[in-house]
Amino acid sequence: QVQLVESGGGLVQAGDSLRLSCAASGHTFSTYVMGWFRQAPGKEREFVTSISASGGITYYARSVKGRFTVSRDNAKNTVYLQMDSLKYEDTAVYYCAASSASGRFYYTNEERYDYWGQGTQVAVSS
């Protein structure tokens, strides 16, 4: 069982930066592929980024590539999402998720993820 707790959300202006953190419980964090997803009001949850278990491979949604950076510190059981050049359309609840699936370095499909955090709100004013 893995418990995930996100933090770092808030209200910012367009062009600002935020860093989200996701702290995981348990001793097997380094074996999980981690992902970030987001859900805007009235929309379905969508993939943002994923990072391999070792942290060496990352993948981004086209909408955030070049602005967002995912990283992880396996010694601290934490995954981060650095969000730069924020846009109004980045407003959403952001969720981190952990996948125990094997075979790939990252996953974009939320069905591949076993554990989810409670989410943290990010609001970007234009």
Side-chain angles (χ1 to χ4, degrees):
Q1 188 78 8
V2 175
Q3 292 186 325
L4 304 173
V5 179
E6 302 97 335
S7 61
L11 173 63
V12 297
Q13 294 186 335
D16 286 351
S17 298
L18 271 180
R19 189 175 83 153
L20 306 183
S21 299
C22 174
S25 65
H27 301 288
T28 57
F29 175 76
S30 63
T31 66
Y32 287 89
V33 169
M34 299 299 294
W36 285 95
F37 292 76
R38 67 186 182 185
Q39 187 168 22
K43 295 186 177 181
E44 294 186 351
R45 188 159 57 187
E46 65 175 3
F47 169 79
V48 175
T49 182
S50 180
I51 186 168
S52 63
S54 68
I57 295 175
T58 58
Y59 187 80
Y60 297 91
R62 187 176 303 178
S63 59
V64 306
K65 192 173 184 179
R67 299 188 298 119
F68 290 12
T69 304
V70 62
S71 62
R72 66 191 295 165
D73 185 337
N74 285 344
K76 295 182 178 180
N77 280 14
T78 302
V79 62
Y80 305 97
L81 182 63
Q82 177 67 40
M83 304 185 294
D84 299 320
S85 302
L86 282 162
K87 303 177 181 180
Y88 174 76
E89 49 265 40
D90 294 320
T91 296
V93 177
Y94 284 72
Y95 300 90
C96 71
S99 173
S100 62
S102 60
R104 301 194 67 175
F105 292 112
Y106 59 83
Y107 297 100
T108 62
N109 187 335
E110 64 178 67
E111 293 182 357
R112 302 295 288 176
Y113 290 85
D114 309 287
Y115 305 102
W116 293 82
Q118 83 289 349
T120 185
Q121 175 72 54
V122 172
V124 184
S125 62
S126 57

